[in-house]
């Protein structure tokens, strides 16, 4: 007589994912393979993600890759190896894309708000200070700023409102009269002739006005024709409505002479 091997045929009736082990003659035990669970007759894949998120961080996604195997990937807005995930602050890099003059606040995942700092106006992505500061920040008007600084003219750094007609930097750099005015000590009068106090006049407002008085005291004549605003019949407004906290800047293509 020979012992009957219960595992010899059809894996002993065990699951294909189980090992059939001979015990006593004619008997066997079915043991699920690693990564599977069950009674050996039926073996089911173990999904580690179902218990404690598979050992992943609570801010990670657990994805089953095989029997009792899984990978951890940090959710959007977090970084790390999946076992440990750290919140990514949008504001920590480049101020979150906000203006350098804005405060960036993280609100929720992948979201943030940009708010202009006190004494600045704008949408948070672009924030503007007073028009004296804005002159320097724009290459089209920075030369006018340097002339004001050289003569310690700070009229437009006050509360305002003011309206400025600023000759383009290229004009101030190339017009030979500028050196003569500086030498004669009259540059301050010329600069103040480009400033209007107690008024925040946008382009559309200027189209309805014929004369305004400058800080120098002389009138500036305004005419509107062929969709252009012209000052003193010579200087055209080529860039308009650069708004600051205390006024507005318009760029002109000629120097106004009082």
């Amino acid at each position: 007589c020979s012992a009957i091997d219960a595992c010899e045929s059809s894996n002993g009736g065990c699951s294909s994912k189980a090992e059939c082990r001979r015990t006593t003659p004619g008997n066997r035990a079915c043991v699920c393979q690693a990564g599977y669970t069950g009674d050996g007759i039926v073996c089911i894949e173990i999904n580690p993600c179902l218990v404690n998120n598979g050992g992943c961080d609570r801010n990670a996604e657990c994805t089953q890759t095989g029997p009792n195997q899984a990978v951890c990937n940090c959710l959007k807005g977090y970084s790390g190896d999946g076992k440990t995930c750290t919140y990514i602050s949008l504001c920590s890099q480049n101020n979150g894309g906000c203006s350098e003059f804005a405060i960036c606040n993280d609100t929720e995942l992948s979201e943030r708000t940009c708010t202009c700092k006190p004494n600045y106006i704008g949408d948070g992505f672009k924030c503007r200070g007073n028009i004296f500061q804005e002159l320097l920040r724009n290459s089209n008007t920075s030369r006018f700023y340097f002339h004001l600084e050289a003569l310690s003219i700070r009229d437009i750094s006050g509360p305002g409102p003011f309206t400025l007609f600023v000759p383009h930097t290229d004009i101030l750099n190339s017009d030979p009269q500028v050196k003569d005015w500086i030498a004669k000590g009259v540059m301050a009068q010329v600069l103040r002739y480009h400033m209007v106090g107690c008024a925040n006049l946008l382009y559309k407002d200027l189209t309805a006005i014929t004369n305004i008085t400058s800080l120098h005291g002389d009138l500036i004549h305004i005419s509107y024709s062929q969709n252009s605003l012209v000052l003193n019949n010579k200087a055209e407004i080529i860039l308009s409505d650069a708004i600051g906290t205390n006024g507005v800047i318009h760029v002109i293509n000629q120097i106004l002479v009082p």
Side-chain angles (χ1 to χ4, degrees):
C1 295
S2 60
I4 297 172
D5 183 356
C7 294
E8 185 175 9
S9 176
S10 301
N11 198 32
C14 300
S15 166
S16 63
K17 301 300 182 183
E19 178 187 357
C20 181
R21 296 177 182 175
R22 292 172 60 189
T23 52
T24 57
N27 294 303
R28 55 91 176 100
C30 299
V31 181
C32 291
Q33 297 173 6
Y36 293 84
T37 184
D39 60 4
I41 305 298
V42 177
C43 294
I44 302 171
E45 272 191 12
I46 296 172
N47 183 352
C49 296
L50 298 178
V51 179
N52 196 31
N53 200 30
C56 303
D57 188 276
R58 64 189 182 91
N59 293 306
E61 180 182 24
C62 180
T63 305
Q64 183 184 6
T65 57
N68 206 25
Q69 296 178 330
V71 294
C72 304
N73 294 297
C74 292
L75 298 173
K76 183 179 180 181
Y78 293 86
S79 65
D81 60 5
K83 298 291 185 180
T84 302
C85 298
T86 306
Y87 175 63
I88 301 171
S89 168
L90 290 179
C91 296
S92 65
Q93 296 183 350
N94 195 32
N95 201 30
C98 304
S99 164
E100 61 181 307
F101 303 110
I103 298 169
C104 179
N105 284 307
D106 289 295
T107 54
E108 55 185 84
L109 288 182
S110 304
E111 296 292 336
R112 54 89 179 87
T113 60
C114 302
T115 308
C116 292
K117 294 177 180 178
N119 301 319
Y120 288 87
I121 59 172
D123 59 7
F125 296 98
K126 185 173 183 180
C127 298
R128 299 176 297 278
N130 66 47
I131 53 177
F132 189 63
Q133 297 169 306
E134 293 305 304
L135 286 173
L136 179 60
R137 293 175 61 193
N138 189 327
S139 61
N140 295 322
T141 58
S142 58
R143 191 62 187 165
F144 192 84
Y145 170 89
F146 292 127
H147 281 299
L148 294 177
E149 275 284 270
L151 296 168
S152 298
I153 298 174
R154 296 296 180 89
D155 308 51
I156 57 172
S157 60
F162 301 99
T163 299
L164 292 190
F165 301 105
V166 180
H168 192 281
T169 288
D170 293 343
I171 302 299
L172 286 172
N173 284 338
S174 61
D175 195 320
Q177 297 179 96
V178 173
K179 289 184 179 180
D180 293 337
W181 291 327
I182 294 173
K184 294 176 181 176
V186 298
M187 190 61 182
Q189 291 94 304
V190 173
L191 295 174
R192 285 195 172 96
Y193 187 47
H194 294 78
M195 307 175 189
V196 176
C198 303
N200 187 27
L201 300 170
L202 299 176
Y203 192 92
K204 63 181 178 59
D205 301 319
L206 294 171
T207 61
I209 299 173
T210 54
N211 291 291
I212 47 177
T213 304
S214 69
L215 289 185
H216 175 258
D218 288 356
L219 288 177
I220 300 174
H221 176 68
I222 303 174
S223 56
Y224 182 70
S225 64
Q226 297 180 340
N227 296 321
S228 295
L229 274 174
V230 179
L231 310 180
N232 292 350
N233 298 317
K234 61 174 290 189
E236 181 182 345
I237 294 179
I238 54 176
L239 297 169
S240 63
D241 294 353
I243 300 171
T245 57
N246 64 341
V248 60
I249 300 170
H250 305 285
V251 179
I252 56 178
N253 63 358
Q254 295 290 330
I255 300 175
L256 301 178
V257 182

